[in-house]
Amino acid sequence: MRFLYALALSGALSFLLAQAPAEDPEVLRAKVELERVRSMVQTGAFPRVQLQKAEAAVADAQDAAIIRKTIYSQDLTEAQATDLVDAASRRFERRKQAYDDAKKLVDAGIAAQNSLEAKLEELDFARTECQLATNRAELAGEIAAMAEAEAAM
């Protein structure tokens, strides 16, 4: 059984590597983990909620890749700026939801108060990241407007 599992996992990994050679390593790892969790859920070894968490991790990794790729781009287009802000906003919303879920556990007495510290730090980082992405997009828009005004002269 372990051999079949290892064979399926290696097949999924090689499929993903062959499919997108320039894909972000973090996204690749998340996709491989998703396939592993999916196979474990299908066999009944993991609950379905684990699959949802793995899918969310893939989406988060994809958003992180968009942010890393575009935040420092010299020639940020309007579409890239929109993608950047959207990705940062989605990551912020995910962190906010994770914090709210953890807070509910603390309020119910299921988790310790100090378990919120890491979630709060992640939320603050995501808030800052979202603000920086918005500022970067606004700056790109201002630069484009200045270039258009200069070309019109």
Side-chain angles (χ1 to χ4, degrees), residues 47-69:
R48 188 156 301 278
V49 73
Q50 291 297 106
L51 182 60
Q52 293 168 345
K53 287 181 181 180
E55 289 169 344
V58 170
D60 198 60
Q62 289 170 332
D63 286 341
I66 289 170
I67 292 168
R68 275 192 303 276
K69 187 175 84 176

Side-chain angles (χ1 to χ4, degrees), residues 92-102 104 123:
F92 173 72
E93 288 302 319
R94 280 189 212 100
R95 298 305 182 278
K96 185 177 177 187
Q97 184 64 47
Y99 176 79
D100 290 343
D101 292 345
K104 287 177 189 173
L123 180 62

Side-chain angles (χ1 to χ4, degrees), residues 49-147:
V49 73
Q50 291 297 106
L51 182 60
Q52 293 168 345
K53 287 181 181 180
E55 289 169 344
V58 170
D60 198 60
Q62 289 170 332
D63 286 341
I66 289 170
I67 292 168
R68 275 192 303 276
K69 187 175 84 176
T70 57
I71 194 81
Y72 297 113
S73 177
Q74 294 294 322
D75 299 320
L76 192 65
T77 66
E78 190 173 321
Q80 288 173 326
T82 301
D83 290 345
L84 173 64
V85 172
D86 290 347
S89 296
R90 287 189 301 266
R91 282 177 56 95
F92 173 72
E93 288 302 319
R94 280 189 212 100
R95 298 305 182 278
K96 185 177 177 187
Q97 184 64 47
Y99 176 79
D100 290 343
D101 292 345
K103 184 149 177 44
K104 287 177 189 173
L105 293 175
V106 169
D107 291 344
I110 298 171
Q113 181 71 30
N114 64 355
S115 65
L116 286 178
E117 290 175 11
K119 299 290 184 192
L120 187 58
E121 287 177 12
E122 290 173 4
L123 180 62
D124 288 341
F125 179 80
R127 182 180 293 116
T128 302
E129 184 178 59
C130 191
Q131 181 114 40
L132 290 173
T134 302
N135 292 347
R136 178 68 173 100
E138 289 172 358
L139 179 63
E142 289 172 10
I143 290 172
M146 287 171 41

